[in-house]
Amino acid sequence: MSSSFLFRFQYPPPPSVFVTAMSMVSLVSLANAGLSEIRGRHLQYSKFWDVRAPNTLKVKRVKVSSRAGMLALYAPAFLAGLVSFWLFPGDGLRFMLLSSALTLHFLKRVVEVLFIHKYSGAMILDSVVAISLSYFLSAVTMIYNQHLVDGVQEPPFDLKYIGFILFMVSSAANFYHHYLLAKLREKDDKGYKIPKGGMFNLVICPHYLFEILAFVGVSFISQTVYPFCFTIGTTFYLLGRSYCTRKWYLSKFENFPKDVKALVPYIF
């Protein structure tokens, strides 16, 4: 009964061991990354780029500039999105919407890295490789997964248009809050300030909130298991990261407003 109800909203899982395995790997690994953030074992970028995990040996680590590292995070996934239009030109509208959303998402991130963000620190190469591989594999898996269900009877409840609208609106809001963060720094300013404007008056990480909603939109476009697993895992990771970000601001700024939450207004 529950499975038949579920299939009113999504395709049956494709007969692919790779996609099934990646669904579990993405969910578990991303959720674990969020728990690791709370435990102080951070992926080393942004304000946590030089924070060592508790009880770890002090070893020399390879560093790259933040701009180069961030570009390496997003460019491979962006290229995967572009190539998908060439690999699967005959797939249907849902596939085209999904590939377009993924390509636009990572193109936006590349544009932000090159023209919007102002960086002050570095990135640890291990974190660059791990995150870049995660984004690339997730993009490739979503595209391949959607190709496998192309031509299969669609779910009775069609969410692809709602999903694409949600994706576009959330992506625009994410971009806007990244722009607000960039405006905090003047030329050659490498310090941090308390963000203001937009939803920063309610949560310290509204850009994370809208990134989650953008991937919810992608999941609605796809209506398959893997994107939902990736989105749930991403939510757990960003919950952990936003919790640590709020904790960091509280430790650095005595005047940080206590009523500003981490990720969800008035709740968390």
Side-chain angles (χ1 to χ4, degrees), residues 5-30:
F5 175 79
L6 189 62
F7 289 149
R8 295 178 69 84
F9 294 92
Q10 70 175 38
Y11 290 92
S16 168
V17 175
F18 171 73
V19 172
T20 301
M22 283 298 296
S23 298
M24 295 307 300
V25 167
S26 293
L27 176 58
V28 173
S29 62
L30 286 167

Side-chain angles (χ1 to χ4, degrees), residues 58-109:
K58 188 173 182 179
V59 296
K60 187 175 181 180
R61 299 167 298 174
V62 179
K63 295 182 285 188
V64 297
S65 73
S66 288
R67 195 176 304 277
M70 287 293 181
L71 190 60
L73 259 56
Y74 306 122
F78 165 63
L79 293 175
L82 277 183
V83 170
S84 70
F85 294 103
W86 174 73
L87 285 177
F88 308 114
D91 284 5
L93 176 61
R94 191 184 294 272
F95 176 88
M96 298 301 289
L97 288 175
L98 177 92
S99 290
S100 297
L102 291 174
T103 304
L104 286 172
H105 174 76
F106 290 108
L107 173 61
K108 179 184 77 70
R109 302 308 293 264

Side-chain angles (χ1 to χ4, degrees), residues 33-84:
L35 185 60
S36 295
E37 290 288 330
I38 294 173
R39 291 173 172 171
R41 297 179 179 274
H42 305 291
L43 286 175
Q44 291 171 300
Y45 64 94
S46 187
K47 56 185 63 63
F48 300 109
W49 80 269
D50 201 27
V51 177
R52 294 181 183 274
N55 304 319
T56 55
L57 295 175
K58 188 173 182 179
V59 296
K60 187 175 181 180
R61 299 167 298 174
V62 179
K63 295 182 285 188
V64 297
S65 73
S66 288
R67 195 176 304 277
M70 287 293 181
L71 190 60
L73 259 56
Y74 306 122
F78 165 63
L79 293 175
L82 277 183
V83 170
S84 70

Side-chain angles (χ1 to χ4, degrees), residues 69-203:
M70 287 293 181
L71 190 60
L73 259 56
Y74 306 122
F78 165 63
L79 293 175
L82 277 183
V83 170
S84 70
F85 294 103
W86 174 73
L87 285 177
F88 308 114
D91 284 5
L93 176 61
R94 191 184 294 272
F95 176 88
M96 298 301 289
L97 288 175
L98 177 92
S99 290
S100 297
L102 291 174
T103 304
L104 286 172
H105 174 76
F106 290 108
L107 173 61
K108 179 184 77 70
R109 302 308 293 264
V110 168
V111 169
E112 289 172 344
V113 169
L114 294 177
F115 304 109
I116 303 296
H117 293 311
K118 299 172 184 176
Y119 298 102
S120 59
M123 291 184 70
I124 303 303
L125 184 59
D126 289 354
S127 291
V128 174
V129 172
I131 300 171
S132 179
L133 188 61
S134 173
Y135 279 141
F136 176 75
L137 285 176
S138 68
V140 168
T141 305
M142 285 190 204
I143 291 165
Y144 177 61
N145 169 72
Q146 203 65 43
H147 170 69
L148 290 178
V149 300
D150 187 68
V152 176
Q153 184 176 355
E154 297 207 350
F157 289 95
D158 188 351
L159 301 177
K160 63 178 177 285
Y161 298 114
I162 294 173
F164 194 75
I165 292 170
L166 177 60
F167 167 79
M168 293 299 292
V169 171
S170 300
S171 295
N174 174 269
F175 177 86
Y176 173 66
H177 287 91
H178 280 162
Y179 172 73
L180 291 179
L181 284 175
K183 280 183 63 179
L184 290 173
R185 285 182 175 168
E186 304 295 334
K187 187 177 181 181
D188 299 326
D189 184 3
K190 296 185 180 298
Y192 282 92
K193 301 174 184 176
I194 299 175
K196 295 180 180 179
M199 285 184 61
F200 282 114
N201 297 326
L202 297 175
V203 293

Side-chain angles (χ1 to χ4, degrees), residues 246-266:
R246 182 177 185 272
K247 187 177 178 181
W248 185 90
Y249 274 101
L250 284 168
S251 70
K252 298 295 182 181
F253 298 94
E254 293 182 358
N255 61 333
F256 183 81
K258 303 296 189 294
D259 58 337
V260 172
K261 300 298 184 181
L263 185 68
V264 183
Y266 311 111

